Amino acid sequence: MRNFEEWLNLFNSQNLYLFNKDESGILWLKIKSMIRKEILDFIKIHFNIILQTKTQQEKFRELYNLAIEGMITHNDIDKILHSYNKVEIATIEQKFHEIESELYKMTYFAWGGDSTNSLDKQIVSYVKDIYKYNDIVYKIENDIAENTRNYTLSSWYNNWTTILTEHIFKIHPKVTSAIGKIKSVDFFIENIPIDLKITYLPKEFLKMQRKNYGFGSEITLLKQIAKRYSLVFDKMDSDETIKYQIVQQIKDTNNKNLFWELQNIDKQNQKIIYDTIHNKYTLIRWLYENQGDLRFGAENRLFIVLIDSSDFSQSWKLKRNFRIIRPTIIDYLNDFSSANFSNNIVDFVFHQKNYKALADIIFIVT
């Protein structure tokens, strides 16, 4: 059994796999999620647990040691977590359908900012490149205003779809929520710490798989079709815009050969989706190895991957489709076995360092 400092060092070094093997590690994570003033006050009032230390880190250590010494049981910790969560869960449950309805007011999804979706970097680039007052005012009133709107709306949409999705997990009897929202853990399913990630089928993953399958680049194939059939597109546009231009022109024609070529590309993508669903490890490893430096984590993850197979660009709409999401999650949790999940070991490399985690994927495909 490791002491407090050993678990702290393992946590800080992203060596999180070892937490799965030791009940004291799970206790450490649960207690970490409780170390906030309002939660500690709740514990003092409702469970008469009075800590003698002053700082949060000291209180964290003291509470952990009380649990290790048997003064507080693992069951007591779970009772605190469930009890504190009751109000939040009841509030979301009451507003669930109202929030869901509001989410359906989103008519489009577009991040504001530059090519990396960074609004602040785009603003900085304007400030540095534009020296005329009238020109910067024009950018503020047009580009920046529109991008700020897009960024805010997209962030709002992602926030509330995530809250509702997490709520479906939290109300299930197999799930205990990490109430303090600690990094690396959203909740515990049968005492396995889980970080939930909601995402789409990554464009770069699809591009890589098309190459691995020998299908060739989708945008290259579409450009070749456009050239053969004299379809026009702006070569200076982004690949996504060019793809849209060509595909829409194909759909607007009555040319059976054009339809066949487009359907052939679609069949290739469907083949990749089918194989990915039946061999999740390839995508799981890719998702770990291609995460950004700032958001890097080696924690256990449960990915929800949303795929509109008829139009990947519309997959964002599935995030609010709780008529599909809710029963799919409930079925997954009903069948969940910690023993089986513990077999889902993924080994991956990030910046030339080896990591290990437990992970799975729930696919939502239409």
Side-chain angles (χ1 to χ4, degrees):
M1 182 181 294
R2 291 180 169 85
N3 62 31
F4 178 89
E5 282 73 21
E6 288 174 317
W7 287 123
L8 179 63
N9 290 333
L10 288 171
F11 184 85
N12 289 337
S13 63
Q14 286 290 325
N15 196 345
L16 300 172
Y17 179 75
L18 294 177
F19 284 80
N20 301 306
K21 303 290 185 179
D22 194 319
E23 184 178 354
S24 67
I26 302 300
L27 266 173
W28 191 93
L29 289 172
K30 287 182 177 179
I31 293 170
K32 180 174 174 59
S33 80
M34 296 160 53
I35 306 302
R36 278 183 9 201
K37 184 182 183 307
E38 61 270 26
I39 301 172
L40 292 173
D41 289 343
F42 176 86
I43 294 171
K44 181 179 178 180
I45 294 169
H46 295 278
F47 291 87
N48 198 31
I49 298 174
I50 302 171
L51 302 177
Q52 304 302 316
T53 48
K54 293 183 178 180
T55 69
Q56 285 193 326
Q57 189 76 343
E58 289 171 343
K59 291 179 186 294
F60 183 8
R61 183 184 288 104
E62 182 182 356
L63 196 53
Y64 174 76
N65 288 335
L66 288 173
I68 294 302
E69 293 165 5
M71 304 297 290
I72 303 171
T73 67
H74 200 143
N75 189 47
D76 291 333
I77 297 297
D78 284 347
K79 283 182 179 178
I80 293 169
L81 293 171
H82 286 296
S83 181
Y84 189 85
N85 260 319
K86 279 183 179 179
V87 174
E88 179 190 339
I89 289 174
T91 301
I92 297 297
E93 185 67 26
Q94 184 179 13
K95 295 182 178 180
F96 192 100
H97 295 300
E98 181 184 355
I99 298 170
E100 182 183 9
S101 176
E102 291 297 313
L103 291 167
Y104 271 92
K105 293 179 181 180
M106 280 280 284
T107 57
Y108 69 95
F109 187 94
W111 283 111
D114 61 11
S115 59
T116 62
N117 296 332
S118 176
L119 183 60
D120 58 338
K121 287 181 180 179
Q122 188 182 58
I123 293 172
V124 169
S125 71
Y126 289 158
V127 170
K128 289 183 176 181
D129 296 340
I130 299 171
Y131 65 88
K132 289 190 175 182
Y133 176 81
N134 288 339
D135 290 347
I136 194 67
V137 169
Y138 178 85
K139 287 291 186 182
I140 292 170
E141 294 176 348
N142 292 275
D143 294 11
I144 294 177
E146 181 183 359
N147 286 337
T148 301
R149 171 186 168 84
N150 289 340
Y151 181 84
T152 304
L153 282 173
S154 297
S155 299
W156 169 84
Y157 181 84
N158 280 345
N159 175 67
W160 286 103
T161 51
T162 298
I163 287 174
L164 294 190
T165 302
E166 288 182 354
H167 175 76
I168 297 168
F169 281 92
K170 290 177 181 179
I171 61 176
H172 196 278
K174 290 184 180 180
V175 176
T176 301
S177 176
I179 54 180
K181 309 295 183 185
I182 63 171
K183 177 177 168 54
S184 303
V185 184
D186 289 314
F187 43 73
F188 301 82
I189 310 178
E190 291 189 350
N191 276 335
I192 294 181
I194 298 291
D195 183 44
L196 181 67
K197 297 293 184 186
I198 308 170
T199 187
Y200 313 110
L201 186 69
K203 296 174 186 176
E204 290 302 313
F205 175 81
L206 182 63
K207 184 178 179 180
M208 178 191 76
Q209 290 299 82
R210 286 190 62 85
K211 182 178 180 181
N212 292 340
Y213 279 61
F215 293 152
S217 166
E218 186 173 358
I219 191 64
T220 299
L221 292 174
L222 287 170
K223 286 179 179 179
Q224 291 171 351
I225 293 171
K227 184 177 180 180
R228 288 198 303 272
Y229 291 90
S230 300
L231 304 179
V232 295
F233 61 89
D234 189 341
K235 296 179 181 179
M236 301 302 293
D237 280 331
S238 66
D239 285 350
E240 282 300 304
T241 302
I242 291 172
K243 177 181 175 181
Y244 178 82
Q245 289 175 319
I246 297 173
V247 169
Q248 289 305 308
Q249 288 180 77
I250 292 173
K251 290 180 177 179
D252 288 343
T253 70
N254 291 318
N255 190 313
K256 292 182 179 180
N257 290 330
L258 269 174
F259 275 120
W260 182 87
E261 296 209 48
L262 189 60
Q263 286 174 351
N264 188 51
I265 294 174
D266 182 61
K267 287 179 181 178
Q268 293 170 347
N269 289 337
Q270 298 304 322
K271 165 70 174 171
I272 292 171
I273 293 171
Y274 177 85
D275 290 350
T276 300
I277 291 173
H278 290 85
N279 182 18
K280 294 180 281 191
Y281 177 80
T282 303
L283 178 56
I284 290 172
R285 183 175 180 180
W286 190 96
L287 289 167
Y288 272 107
E289 293 186 339
N290 289 273
Q291 55 187 308
D293 289 352
L294 294 177
R295 296 184 178 183
F296 171 75
E299 62 274 350
N300 301 335
R301 288 182 176 175
L302 178 56
F303 297 95
I304 296 181
V305 177
L306 307 163
I307 306 173
D308 182 336
S309 55
S310 63
D311 186 352
F312 294 157
S313 68
Q314 298 302 304
S315 295
W316 67 271
K317 294 178 180 178
L318 291 174
K319 259 192 165 185
R320 65 191 177 196
N321 191 342
F322 292 100
R323 292 170 182 81
I324 297 176
I325 292 174
R326 185 189 285 270
T328 304
I329 290 174
I330 291 173
D331 287 346
Y332 179 86
L333 290 172
N334 286 343
D335 293 336
F336 185 91
S337 161
S338 57
N340 290 338
F341 191 89
S342 296
N343 293 325
N344 297 335
I345 301 171
V346 54
D347 296 287
F348 67 97
V349 178
F350 192 86
H351 288 335
Q352 300 181 328
K353 186 175 180 180
N354 295 315
Y355 295 92
K356 182 181 288 189
L358 303 179
D360 201 1
I361 297 180
I362 298 174
F363 287 96
I364 307 289
V365 184
T366 59

